[in-house]
Amino acid sequence: GAVVSQHPSRVICKSGTSVKIECRSLDFQATTMFWYRQFPKQSLMLMATSNEGSKATYEQGVEKDKFLINHASLTLSTLTVTSAHPEDSSFYICSARTIGLAGKQFFGPGTRLTVL
Amino acid sequence: QQQVKQSPQSLIVQKGGISIINCAYENTAFDYFPWYQQFPGKGPALLIAIRPDVSEKKEGRFTISFNKSAKQFSLHIMDSQPGDSATYFCAAKQTGTASKLTFGTGTRLQVTL
């Protein structure tokens, strides 16, 4: 299967700071990438869908000014949590999909964000 | 109509037994049904997937059974092993570049010795 990486794997930051999470598709080009948030013992909640070269589409209730998404290339998408607060602490997972692997989504290993 | 209902919430199976997880959907436009396996602190990994043109798909110890008329699909894990202990998510989506996966609520499987 295709490989998706995320960096960092875990990050601890102070309240009010911004944190950037990178998502890379290592061996395929991803025209579409997805960002999810997962709370303990819960399912994945889709935050936004990003397509290379265009603005991300955010799900209802997700603040686009707080969760900035950039999909600058076919292998890289970034999620920036701006002015992070303790309630933003969560497990953030990216996913990538390409037309060449029709219908299949591959997930990154996740990033554990802890805001103090 | 976008929901995917998954049961049970948790499951304990003895080593060597069969683990069965069920999912039901409402949206008849869904045409792709994957199952994901997630270990604690890790991202989900695609396990097996099926399209509605077949009623069953088997890959090793993992089998998906699909019932189009009932709008249900299930994951069977044969000869369950302690290493299979994880959370399993079913999902569904319809073909299309704008489509998104709709996930079930997850099933925590524990395989005991």
Side-chain angles (χ1 to χ4, degrees):
Chain A
V3 180
V4 177
S5 70
Q6 271 183 251
H7 178 79
S9 58
R10 56 180 64 223
V11 56
I12 301 172
C13 68
K14 292 182 178 180
S15 185
T17 62
S18 294
V19 175
K20 180 184 283 189
I21 303 170
E22 289 188 350
C23 176
R24 294 181 185 272
S25 55
L26 298 185
D27 50 2
F28 68 101
Q29 292 184 326
T31 53
T32 305
M33 286 187 171
F34 306 85
W35 286 95
Y36 295 83
R37 184 174 181 177
Q38 186 178 35
F39 291 105
K41 298 183 181 181
Q42 292 190 22
S43 189
L44 288 79
M45 182 190 80
L46 180 64
M47 299 175 66
T49 302
S50 73
N51 291 293
E52 185 265 338
S54 60
K55 289 184 178 181
T57 301
Y58 290 80
E59 295 299 300
Q60 191 172 13
V62 178
E63 299 176 58
K64 63 179 181 180
D65 294 329
K66 180 165 187 62
F67 299 99
L68 301 179
I69 291 172
N70 184 276
H71 193 159
S73 76
L74 288 172
T75 59
L76 173 65
S77 176
T78 60
L79 167 67
T80 301
V81 183
T82 62
S83 186
H85 290 286
E87 58 265 30
D88 298 324
S89 298
S90 190
F91 193 51
Y92 292 88
I93 308 171
C94 74
S95 178
R97 184 179 76 198
T98 177
I99 297 175
L101 294 169
K104 291 186 178 181
Q105 265 182 244
F106 298 94
F107 287 80
T111 297
R112 172 73 59 193
L113 170 64
T114 303
V115 184
L116 302 176
Chain B
Q1 197 178 21
Q2 292 295 321
Q3 282 186 326
V4 176
K5 296 180 179 179
Q6 183 172 347
S7 63
Q9 188 174 17
S10 63
L11 182 62
I12 300 175
V13 174
Q14 279 195 325
K15 179 182 176 182
I18 303 173
S19 303
I20 302 174
I21 305 171
N22 301 298
C23 284
Y25 63 98
E26 291 293 327
N27 188 347
T28 55
F30 286 150
D31 59 2
Y32 176 68
F33 304 89
W35 284 89
Y36 289 88
Q37 179 189 56
Q38 185 179 30
F39 292 105
K42 304 294 183 183
L46 179 63
L47 198 59
I48 187 172
I50 197 169
R51 293 194 182 272
D53 52 344
V54 295
S55 59
E56 185 175 282
K57 183 174 182 180
K58 183 176 181 180
E59 289 184 1
R61 296 185 294 110
F62 301 94
T63 300
I64 298 180
S65 296
F66 184 81
N67 186 329
K68 189 174 181 179
S69 60
K71 292 185 286 186
Q72 296 175 346
F73 59 110
S74 60
L75 175 70
H76 296 234
I77 306 175
M78 312 300 286
D79 187 26
S80 298
Q81 299 297 313
D84 297 330
S85 298
T87 299
Y88 292 82
F89 294 96
C90 64
K93 81 176 191 74
Q94 61 185 93
T95 301
T97 55
S99 67
K100 301 172 287 190
L101 281 171
T102 299
F103 281 91
T105 50
T107 296
R108 298 187 74 188
L109 171 65
Q110 182 182 353
V111 181
T112 61
L113 294 172

